[in-house]
Amino acid sequence: MIIKIIYFKPVGGTMNLLFVHGWSVTDQETYGDLPEAVVTAATADGLDINVQHIFLGKYISFHDEVTLDDIARAFDVARKDAMKKVSADENAPFACITHSTGGPVIRLWAHLFYGLKNKMSETPLKHLVMLAPANHGSALAQLGKSKLGRLKAIFSGVEPGTGVLNWLELGSAQQWDLNTAWLNYNFAANGLYSFVLSGQTIDEKIYDFVNSYLVEKGSDGVVRLAGANMNYGYVRLRQNVNNIIGDTGRSFFHEAKSITKLEVVGGSFVNSPKTPFCVVKDASHSGETIGIMRSVTESNYADKPVVGNILKCLKVTDLTAYDTVDDNFKAISKQVQDADTKVKDQYSMLVFRVTDDRGNPVNDFDMLLLAGDDFNPDGLPKGFHEDHQKNIISPNILTYYVNYSELKRVPDGKIGIRIAARPDEGFSHYSIAEFRSTGFAFDDILKPNQTLLVDVELTRHVDENTFGLTPLADGKHNFKKEKTSGKDVPPTD
């Protein structure tokens, strides 16, 4: 693994700047002129630039056996080797500008080598500027692993890179682990300033419109704004089988069944540490025309807002400046989205992971989104649903992509979910569970351009007659037709 590095001197001393590309890249031209443009812009902005060495780099993501974990570990060796060429200290401080999958690569590296070891304050990474990062995955990852994706890979002479695509698929277990761990890292307070810049413009010259994901609103054609944003939420819902809040009603085919409550564990939703997030005007994921990275040249950088915004990030040296950039990015994002005539609404993602109280993944379930005073599917506004996708490897994880602007219209913000898992009868089964937003503000649950991770814990009902003991004096019995008692064994601690 080789890294592209530029050295420059911001206020306070020399900074080493690394560029890390995304998935499936096989050509160093993917960086375009962005590194050179950053140098030129920084010089014009009064920063002391000293280009000593440029390492034209690559990392391997297009071999199926390579995983994101492999790449993150290889990065640690590569950056130490690079630092030793220009510094006596292999752990010299550095800043990193990433594109697409490069963002998760560097975040995973920080997690493995510093977060897990409770040494986040010791990380040499001081600035992480992520351009269109797939932090919460990409809906296209499933297509990359499909037969069509494999055929395209064959004709281009490389493998699809399924090891990396498995991480990038919406709701992957590895992605979930990194993002929930990242909730606990107060990185800015430890001197690591993280930023996300992403667009919501589709480059019509690149995409063929055959696949709806390529022209999805609220995305740059590959990554959704909600999938890039590192401001996100988390909540754990636990089924309370003793709290019955209604029933399904009797139908021609089924008897009425009780609906029990999903309660918020801890009583509140958890928000991630703040990460300044900027919606970049007229920026698509890739391409030489409006690609957020590839389209930048030394001659047009003044017309590319991404360059100026990168400099704002790199100049941050304390929490006050970090907060200032955050406020500035919020104002820019609002202005860009308000002025967008093609994308008039904002969108959000909900990622549900369903397990039971024994830690088993629950793979077979139906989920309904609810709204209105009676928390009914019919109460949902027209056009609220954009997409949903179950993870192929972990089918207990389901991602919904929803129109935040439409859902915001629900009276009093009353929304909820109902989960009916299978088996729903027998000696071991699950009962219907429902979450209702009563007591929570709408914006506590759902935010525009953001993702909410929802852990759902269902109770696994085990009937008492699953195991029995009878006296030998009573004789031997055939229990092939044993029936359920209707009573559950008590939960274990």
Side-chain angles (χ1 to χ4, degrees), residues 40 57 74 101 125 133 150 173 176 218 331 363 425 439 484:
T40 302
T101 308
L125 176 60
R150 287 189 170 275
W176 185 283
N363 296 327
E425 59 183 6
T484 57

Side-chain angles (χ1 to χ4, degrees), residues 17 25 53 88 91 100 115 119-120 171 178 225 247 279 318 350 352 383 388 400 406 413 425 437 440 443 468:
L17 180 58
V25 170
H53 303 281
N91 288 313
S100 195
K119 295 181 178 181
M120 190 60 83
L178 177 60
L225 291 179
D247 62 54
V279 180
D318 56 41
L350 294 157
F352 297 93
H388 66 275
Y400 270 97
E406 289 294 336
E425 59 183 6
S437 64
F440 296 94
D443 284 331

Side-chain angles (χ1 to χ4, degrees), residues 369-372 374-382:
L369 298 184
L370 314 171
D374 57 350
F375 291 94
N376 191 293
D378 294 333
L380 291 160
K382 183 179 180 181

Side-chain angles (χ1 to χ4, degrees), residues 99-115:
H99 180 243
S100 195
T101 308
V105 165
I106 302 305
R107 288 180 52 237
L108 182 56
W109 164 81
H111 167 66
L112 293 174
F113 288 89
Y114 295 94

Side-chain angles (χ1 to χ4, degrees), residues 29-145:
E29 290 300 323
T30 189
Y31 296 113
D33 290 342
L34 180 63
E36 293 80 3
V38 169
V39 171
T40 302
T43 302
D45 200 37
L47 294 177
D48 184 9
I49 305 298
N50 180 20
V51 180
Q52 298 178 359
H53 303 281
I54 295 180
F55 297 80
L56 295 177
K58 61 184 180 181
Y59 71 79
I60 305 302
S61 65
F62 45 85
H63 280 257
D64 286 347
E65 74 274 13
V66 177
T67 67
L68 207 77
D69 182 89
D70 296 333
I71 296 168
R73 290 168 57 205
F75 170 79
D76 194 60
V77 175
R79 62 103 188 169
K80 286 179 178 178
D81 288 345
M83 291 297 100
K84 284 188 287 188
K85 292 175 180 175
V86 295
S87 170
D89 183 8
E90 67 178 14
N91 288 313
F94 68 94
C96 196
I97 296 176
T98 68
H99 180 243
S100 195
T101 308
V105 165
I106 302 305
R107 288 180 52 237
L108 182 56
W109 164 81
H111 167 66
L112 293 174
F113 288 89
Y114 295 94
L116 279 179
K117 300 175 182 178
N118 295 315
K119 295 181 178 181
M120 190 60 83
S121 61
E122 298 178 19
T123 175
L125 176 60
K126 300 306 176 186
H127 297 78
L128 175 58
V129 184
M130 294 176 276
L131 308 180
N135 285 316
H136 298 281
S138 169
L140 288 171
Q142 280 193 358
L143 303 181
K145 293 188 290 184

